[in-house]
Amino acid sequence: MHLAALHTPSQIQLNKEGNLKHFLTIEGLSKETLTKILDTAASFFNDQNQLITNNLLEGRTVMNLFFENSTRTRTTFEAAAKRLSANVLNIDIARSSTSKGETLRDTLWNLEAMAADIFVVRHSSSGAAHFIAKDVCPHVAIINAGDGRHAHPTQAMLDMLTIRRETKKDYKDISIAIIGDIKHSRVARSDMAALQTLGCKDIRVVAPNTLLPYGFDDYGPEVRLFNNMEDGIKDCDVIITLRIQNERIDSPALSSQAEFYKMYGLNKERLALAKPDCIVMHPGPMNRGVEIDSSIADGPQSVILHQVTNGIAVRMAVLALAMQGQLQEKGLIEAIAV
Amino acid sequence: MHLAALHTPSQIQLNKEGNLKHFLTIEGLSKETLTKILDTAASFFNDQNQLITNNLLEGRTVMNLFFENSTRTRTTFEAAAKRLSANVLNIDIARSSTSKGETLRDTLWNLEAMAADIFVVRHSSSGAAHFIAKDVCPHVAIINAGDGRHAHPTQAMLDMLTIRRETKKDYKDISIAIIGDIKHSRVARSDMAALQTLGCKDIRVVAPNTLLPYGFDDYGPEVRLFNNMEDGIKDCDVIITLRIQNERIDSPALSSQAEFYKMYGLNKERLALAKPDCIVMHPGPMNRGVEIDSSIADGPQSVILHQVTNGIAVRMAVLALAMQGQLQEKGLIEAIAV
Amino acid sequence: MHLAALHTPSQIQLNKEGNLKHFLTIEGLSKETLTKILDTAASFFNDQNQLITNNLLEGRTVMNLFFENSTRTRTTFEAAAKRLSANVLNIDIARSSTSKGETLRDTLWNLEAMAADIFVVRHSSSGAAHFIAKDVCPHVAIINAGDGRHAHPTQAMLDMLTIRRETKKDYKDISIAIIGDIKHSRVARSDMAALQTLGCKDIRVVAPNTLLPYGFDDYGPEVRLFNNMEDGIKDCDVIITLRIQNERIDSPALSSQAEFYKMYGLNKERLALAKPDCIVMHPGPMNRGVEIDSSIADGPQSVILHQVTNGIAVRMAVLALAMQGQLQEKGLIEAIAV
């Protein structure tokens, strides 16, 4: 993997007209591009607030390449692509020809030659989707469905869409707290990048020092660290609680679930410190009673299931936009039409 | 599971107008409702007796949730939903987020929030589909594809459709024998309920006492027990042979396959005791030479493969009807239109 | 399996009008039939040389029955069937009811009764697809996706389509070399049959004697054996390199990969002996540095990835043609319309 490339704000995901042709990472994308994604996603809801279906990918072939298993994320992409009328193929990429001594590059070229238009890529290595887009299949629209600890950009965009649709406020006027295991969360990293690009001025990271990433100081002046939960969520508009992964428990970073809940679990008393209309988000799957109390998860301020629905809309948007960006680059369409 | 609820004739599967919105069990459904399902299923055959396709579920998302593996039943539902132009997603529910410590309830809510319209549920526990429809996702149309020993209602309805299409007689004029392992068969239980509701007056259960369920006396005056095969099938219009499951062999209930065949296997001599136009049914998969002789299974009176085709039609019908019942309850359509 | 039947030029795959109704093997098909497949496949490319989609299988149900796992071949058929707007079901045939003691015949009859129109069959036993078409489900269009060492007819047809589209010469004017493990290659066997039928006069088989099949002398006067690579490829128009399967290495037939590369690996020096516009083909997956050098595989004369795309077109063609042949036989259409 070309790790060096990950830290340059890459223009690889844009075509010459500046439109998306891959969707790899939030970093380096402009406010206009992120807003285009959000506008497109929002347009996929009808007046009854139901997700529509349409023909934007009719006749197109979407292949899901999940090198790392994630039933849930794969399902969301499959549902999204089918709502756009695409043909969807789930490729058993782990069992595919790499096991016969073929190189990964040859396997991917073969899949591209089967007339694939879009690859949805999930991989445990940071930069995998980036590498495929840059060095293997630049003419296939590559959608990053999560790569190592690096990025989970559709999750970030569904969080942004949820904030926009639920708070109905501008990002610049929002105070947001992100609570928990920032260190191991690709969601947190992508969320912070998106929030900064969209103009958010008050991003609070609430975590013990052991769950903060190295180099945390580099995140910019909008981002502040709070070790104390109560201070962190005071007067917030949005709270994002992160999943504590079981494998972190009993490590030097985290003594026990009960200890985490005592220090950072979101409950009624703590939520009362935020603004009265503060919304509560969680990327799922939840550990009830660890990072969040059930009364909050199921309560009136929770928008956790709305995030899931918004996730379908956002995935529809990036699939449709990246496809159009590829067609535009190939001269097959003149302008982006969604 | 709320086992108590199973024994009350539940109205949970009907909307306020009395139309199906889930399809969980035969018990408690009226003759009119069962007839509506059968009429709808019958309408899906064209003049050449071929199954049609249509757009009744276009733009709808059907998720198959098979907690218990059943390739065959899953395939029939997938084929049926696709004939209605639905988007179908097979969810690897066993490997899904429950393995990450998420509750089943949260997993189901997440799937619902992915804009699912219908869940097809197969589970080894009696009442699982009922529980989901009542307590977890009442606004998703829940279709029971078999739950424990309790119910297999689409199998019952395909049997009813087969009887209607093949005998061309009214249910009230039919004598029917159900032969074999009644005790462990969810098919038998569902078939008897459907036959009684549809007005059948002569239902004969042919089995050794060891293969009868407890509380058999409660089934009503239309149901009679025969330990002797020859008496049981005399002058019948319909014979349903049930599968002997291999794991029952060599148990106290059943000494050997050969012994069962000798006592209860359907062969030419025995079939000759039924009416000349008696049809022979079997839910599959068959043990040839155990519950049925190959000459019968492949003979002119066998309608066993017609049952399979009718099964697609019946599954199309319950998918379409339950979807419309949900839409009607939500005020999105006024009347059931299939 | 009826092995005897394999060696008679079977007319089983044609309907009474002489049109394809199954696609089992190249052997016994006329030049006209093969040309019809190639013409149909070629018609599925648009002016920009992109594969089109169409509605030729709309409302039809295609079931993939892969008794032997082959992710790549299954994916190509799934992609092809979906481009024709078919409903596609991947049947987990290994885990299906045969495990419950049901006969294979009953399992297949059940799948047919689910209103299947086409079975795509992959099996490790020679003649499996032939057996199903002849003795089990003659009214389902059976497409052979590879059976044992016997035949891989869609691979042969995609090779023929590639030769036609890339050389733009008539088969009768082409010299072609097939290099490597002829003995274990169903591709080689099917390719030779197709080339002979299409009129090719100069087919050169380049291999050590240990990798030639028994009875090699029977292949006809157009086919010549070369143990020497340089002689074999001299002035060729087309070179097909075959995959060396890893399990052959270190056997009496093949000492080492390095040894094979030294004797038969295709590199620049050797390719220079062929005609300047000679094209290079490989069925994939490639062992780079064994049967082919990377400079050739990725070089200007390689058409290896075009083969993959042509494979989708050819599979679309045989699916559409066999379906129409079945409908014609049943009197449901009058003439083949693709």
Side-chain angles (χ1 to χ4, degrees), chain A residues 163-164 166-171 173-174 237 275 277:
Chain A
I163 292 169
R164 171 169 138 169
E166 298 290 338
T167 69
K168 298 186 172 62
K169 297 176 188 168
D170 194 294
Y171 297 98
D173 303 321
I174 285 174
D237 300 277
K275 288 198 186 144
D277 60 354

Side-chain angles (χ1 to χ4, degrees), chain C residues 281-302:
Chain C
M281 297 165 62
H282 189 293
M286 280 188 282
N287 296 301
R288 290 165 175 267
V290 181
E291 64 263 8
I292 191 166
D293 192 79
S294 273
S295 65
I296 306 302
D298 303 332
Q301 289 170 263
S302 167

Side-chain angles (χ1 to χ4, degrees), chain C residues 33-90:
Chain C
T33 299
L34 299 192
T35 303
K36 175 71 176 169
I37 295 170
L38 296 173
D39 290 348
T40 303
S43 77
F44 294 148
F45 288 92
N46 67 14
D47 293 345
Q48 288 92 38
N49 210 19
Q50 303 281 314
L51 270 177
I52 62 166
T53 61
N54 61 43
N55 296 322
L56 285 168
L57 292 188
E58 190 166 26
R60 304 294 171 187
T61 297
V62 176
M63 293 190 182
N64 287 324
L65 310 186
F66 276 58
F67 296 88
E68 173 185 67
N69 187 49
S70 173
T71 299
R72 176 168 313 188
T73 301
R74 192 186 54 64
T75 302
T76 61
F77 274 103
E78 186 175 350
K82 287 182 171 173
R83 292 194 96 86
L84 297 164
S85 306
N87 295 331
V88 183
L89 283 83
N90 294 313

Side-chain angles (χ1 to χ4, degrees), chain B residues 16 19 28 37 44 54 70-71 75 77 99 111 113 131 141 147 149 159 164 194 204 225 230 269 272-273 283 311 325:
Chain B
K16 284 171 193 164
N19 294 311
I37 295 170
F44 293 148
N54 61 42
S70 173
T71 299
T75 302
F77 274 103
S99 66
L111 293 171
F131 169 73
D147 60 339
R149 294 187 194 168
D159 285 350
R164 171 168 138 168
R204 308 168 189 185
L225 170 64
E230 282 72 15
E269 292 69 37
L273 301 173

Side-chain angles (χ1 to χ4, degrees), chain C residues 6-274:
Chain C
L6 297 177
H7 299 292
T8 60
S10 167
Q11 295 306 305
I12 205 177
Q13 48 192 341
L14 302 180
N15 67 17
K16 284 171 193 166
E17 286 77 8
N19 295 312
L20 277 185
K21 63 176 179 175
H22 306 291
F23 186 62
L24 305 173
T25 178
I26 300 294
E27 281 147 49
L29 293 182
S30 68
K31 184 175 178 182
E32 289 65 37
T33 299
L34 299 192
T35 303
K36 175 71 176 169
I37 295 170
L38 296 173
D39 290 348
T40 303
S43 77
F44 294 148
F45 288 92
N46 67 14
D47 293 345
Q48 288 92 38
N49 210 19
Q50 303 281 314
L51 270 177
I52 62 166
T53 61
N54 61 43
N55 296 322
L56 285 168
L57 292 188
E58 190 166 26
R60 304 294 171 187
T61 297
V62 176
M63 293 190 182
N64 287 324
L65 310 186
F66 276 58
F67 296 88
E68 173 185 67
N69 187 49
S70 173
T71 299
R72 176 168 313 188
T73 301
R74 192 186 54 64
T75 302
T76 61
F77 274 103
E78 186 175 350
K82 287 182 171 173
R83 292 194 96 86
L84 297 164
S85 306
N87 295 331
V88 183
L89 283 83
N90 294 313
I91 308 298
D92 190 353
I93 190 78
R95 228 165 78 174
S96 199
S97 290
T98 48
S99 65
K100 292 190 180 177
E102 192 184 48
T103 67
L104 176 58
R105 195 183 282 260
D106 279 329
T107 299
L108 294 169
W109 281 343
N110 264 275
L111 293 171
E112 177 179 11
M114 291 173 200
D117 296 290
I118 300 176
F119 288 163
V120 177
V121 177
R122 171 89 163 207
H123 202 289
S124 59
S125 295
S126 297
H130 190 105
F131 168 74
I132 294 169
K134 182 167 176 293
D135 290 340
V136 189
C137 299
H139 304 302
V140 176
I142 310 296
I143 311 295
N144 186 357
D147 60 339
R149 292 188 194 169
H150 172 240
H152 196 356
T154 56
Q155 177 71 40
M157 292 312 293
L158 75 86
D159 285 350
M160 298 307 109
L161 182 62
T162 304
I163 292 170
R164 170 169 140 168
R165 297 184 78 216
E166 298 290 337
T167 69
K168 297 184 175 64
K169 296 176 190 167
D170 195 294
Y171 297 99
K172 73 175 165 46
D173 303 321
I174 285 174
S175 294
I176 182 164
I178 305 176
I179 303 169
D181 184 1
I182 315 295
K183 186 175 188 174
H184 303 101
S185 171
R186 42 189 169 192
V187 177
R189 181 192 290 264
S190 292
D191 271 352
M192 283 190 277
L195 286 165
Q196 288 175 297
T197 302
L198 288 166
C200 188
K201 305 284 183 229
D202 184 14
I203 304 169
R204 309 169 188 183
V205 168
V206 185
N209 285 327
T210 52
L211 292 180
L212 285 179
Y214 303 112
F216 182 76
D217 295 342
D218 302 342
Y219 280 90
E222 303 90 349
V223 180
R224 287 181 295 158
L225 170 63
F226 293 81
N227 290 138
N228 178 282
M229 174 83 166
E230 283 70 17
D231 294 346
I233 67 176
K234 188 165 188 302
D235 294 328
C236 269
D237 300 278
V238 176
I239 295 173
I240 299 177
T241 53
L242 298 175
R243 173 178 172 77
I244 292 293
Q245 299 189 321
N246 299 328
E247 57 268 34
R248 313 289 174 213
I249 305 291
D250 288 325
S251 75
L254 191 61
S255 57
S256 74
Q257 292 192 330
E259 181 69 13
F260 184 86
Y261 181 71
K262 193 176 149 198
M263 296 288 285
Y264 296 101
L266 187 64
N267 58 22
K268 279 195 180 172
E269 292 68 38
R270 285 170 172 158
L271 181 55
L273 300 172

